[in-house]
Amino acid sequence: SYVLTQPPSVSVAPGKTAKITCGGNNIETKTVHWYQQKPGQAPVLVIYFDRDRPSGIPERFSGSNSGNTATLTITRVETGDEADYYCQLLDSSDHNWVFGGGTKLTVL
Amino acid sequence: QVQLVQSGSELKKPGASVKVSCKASGYTFTRHAVNWVRQAPGQGLEWMGWIKTDTGNPKYAPGFTGRRLVFSLDTSASTAFLQINSLKAEDTAVYYCARVDYGSGIFMDVWGKGTTVTVSS
């Protein structure tokens, strides 16, 4: 089955840019989605189709996907962005949904 | 507005069964499949499987095959159910239902708030 690899943690200062990666074999051929989960809350979709933002998600959130890495980028990071972030895709080979292990974003 | 309302927390003994409900509102229930996602304490998200709400066909994730897990529907009540039988301590987790996007069917655009299931003697 397909494996998605995320760094366990990323730290960034307020106002700076955070990049959270999601690695997978030839991931650029797949479509990646991202979810934000704040402590004690349900996940929220922040990016779909690699780079599209649902309504209500700030433009500070963006996504890209190239080679073996998909990336969630958050610019002008705020303390309210502290959360766990998960990448996800649907593996077309077996129709199973796959999550990355999650990355804890800490705003210093 | 579009929402998924899940049933409340459950405390069960090992060997018992639990049935979690997920009631949809604000959209046509049978147009979107429902995913079930588990999150063990301090752990990440784990896909358990999904159920097609138009046909009732379930698909169980590789780690969740077997007869302990049952997805079901009451389409007249716009409600999906997750039943776990023969509960074990390791089933202690938060269980989320999530709506699958209609157009592509490959991401989850609405989530329930989660149901905490605790298995303890």
Side-chain angles (χ1 to χ4, degrees):
Chain A
S1 59
Y2 197 83
V3 176
L4 293 174
T5 301
Q6 297 184 238
S9 62
V10 167
S11 298
V12 64
K16 300 299 186 183
T17 297
K19 289 184 180 293
I20 298 172
T21 59
C22 176
N25 183 35
N26 213 19
I27 199 173
E28 68 176 0
T29 64
K30 304 183 183 299
T31 305
V32 179
H33 320 286
W34 292 89
Y35 303 89
Q36 174 194 68
Q37 185 181 32
K38 295 182 179 180
Q41 298 185 20
V44 171
L45 180 71
V46 294
I47 293 289
Y48 63 100
F49 291 152
D50 293 336
R51 60 181 66 248
D52 291 343
R53 274 178 294 103
S55 60
I57 301 301
E59 292 183 8
R60 301 184 297 104
F61 288 79
S62 63
S64 62
N65 188 1
S66 179
N68 293 314
T69 305
T71 303
L72 173 68
T73 301
I74 310 171
T75 58
R76 302 184 302 282
V77 168
E78 303 173 356
T79 55
D81 297 331
E82 272 205 347
D84 293 325
Y85 291 85
Y86 296 90
C87 57
Q88 172 260 312
L89 57 78
L90 177 62
D91 186 356
S92 56
S93 67
D94 54 16
H95 303 286
N96 288 324
W97 294 58
V98 182
F99 284 104
T103 298
K104 181 177 181 60
L105 177 66
T106 300
V107 181
L108 302 169
Chain B
Q1 74 279 26
V2 175
Q3 61 179 348
L4 298 173
V5 177
Q6 297 188 227
S7 48
S9 298
E10 301 267 11
L11 174 60
K12 295 290 185 180
K13 294 189 182 302
S17 296
V18 68
K19 194 169 187 177
V20 176
S21 67
C22 171
K23 182 172 177 58
S25 62
Y27 70 95
T28 302
F29 180 66
T30 52
R31 293 189 71 184
H32 299 257
V34 172
N35 267 344
W36 289 97
V37 176
R38 182 174 77 177
Q39 188 168 38
Q43 302 301 308
L45 304 175
E46 193 173 11
W47 179 64
M48 301 175 70
W50 70 352
I51 185 164
K52 298 287 185 74
T53 52
D54 52 352
T55 62
N57 287 341
K59 176 179 172 63
Y60 299 96
F64 293 91
T65 54
R67 301 187 68 81
R68 284 207 315 127
L69 206 62
V70 180
F71 302 148
S72 61
L73 302 171
D74 179 351
T75 53
S76 67
S78 298
T79 301
F81 298 95
L82 162 66
Q83 180 167 328
I84 309 173
N85 301 315
S86 303
L87 284 164
K88 307 173 185 178
E90 49 265 42
D91 293 321
T92 295
V94 178
Y95 293 86
Y96 295 99
C97 61
R99 188 181 83 162
V100 175
D101 165 69
Y102 171 71
S104 68
I106 64 173
F107 62 87
M108 292 164 277
D109 59 355
V110 179
W111 291 65
K113 292 188 183 300
T115 296
T116 299
V117 175
T118 303
V119 183
S120 174
S121 54

